[in-house]
Amino acid sequence: MHTAPHPITPPPARPTSDHAAVALKAYGRIAEAWGLKLDEAAALADMSTSTWKRARNPGFKGDLTRDQMLRLSALVGIYKSLHLYFDAAIADQWITLANTGPLFDGARPIDTMIEDGLPQFLRVRNYVDALRGGM
């Protein structure tokens, strides 16, 4: 006897404040580990510098857009993959080092993500995952 499949619940149109708090806490730790300047960390999160200053503090009550949540999720994935592939020192420097790989043309990965936005975040995440997977 077949039972009806459970309907798939789509993600909320806007992230909940709990999701945002967890994402911001994780990203704050990553930005610190990577040694990002305030303006770099804000630009990666698609925030103004003043908003990032407020957002990195516990108890931040602001909302994140879906795009911002996707960016932060991709950055967590990049961070994790880098730490699986490289030793800690290189993993934390990689994002800010000039890179001759096919996505970067000598630029720093952070600069390409800031300039090209979310599509580049996803390409970088796939690139790092491919390195880690030996592709």
Side-chain angles (χ1 to χ4, degrees):
M1 180 173 167
H2 286 74
T3 60
H6 295 288
I8 297 174
T9 305
R14 293 193 60 84
T16 67
S17 59
D18 289 343
H19 291 132
V22 170
L24 287 167
K25 183 176 181 180
Y27 177 57
R29 290 179 177 171
I30 290 168
E32 186 177 319
W34 285 348
L36 300 183
K37 297 175 191 167
L38 193 62
D39 61 328
E40 292 172 328
L44 279 179
D46 195 26
M47 297 177 178
S48 68
T49 304
S50 61
T51 300
W52 171 241
K53 283 180 184 178
R54 288 189 314 274
R56 64 188 181 158
N57 293 321
F60 175 70
K61 298 295 183 198
D63 290 327
L64 296 180
T65 65
R66 213 173 199 180
D67 180 83
Q68 288 170 319
M69 284 295 290
L70 288 170
R71 285 168 175 257
L72 300 185
S73 174
L75 291 168
V76 169
I78 291 166
Y79 177 85
K80 182 177 177 180
S81 287
L82 288 170
H83 277 267
L84 289 171
Y85 187 68
F86 296 112
D87 68 41
I90 295 297
D92 287 337
Q93 292 175 18
W94 186 89
I95 201 85
T96 58
L97 297 174
N99 192 311
T100 58
L103 293 179
F104 312 109
D105 196 29
R108 301 181 320 153
I110 186 175
D111 296 329
T112 68
M113 290 189 292
I114 290 170
E115 184 176 326
D116 297 336
L118 184 57
Q120 182 68 354
F121 281 63
L122 300 177
R123 286 188 292 265
V124 171
R125 178 159 185 195
N126 287 335
Y127 177 79
V128 173
D129 284 344
L131 287 176
R132 188 175 53 85
M135 295 182 189

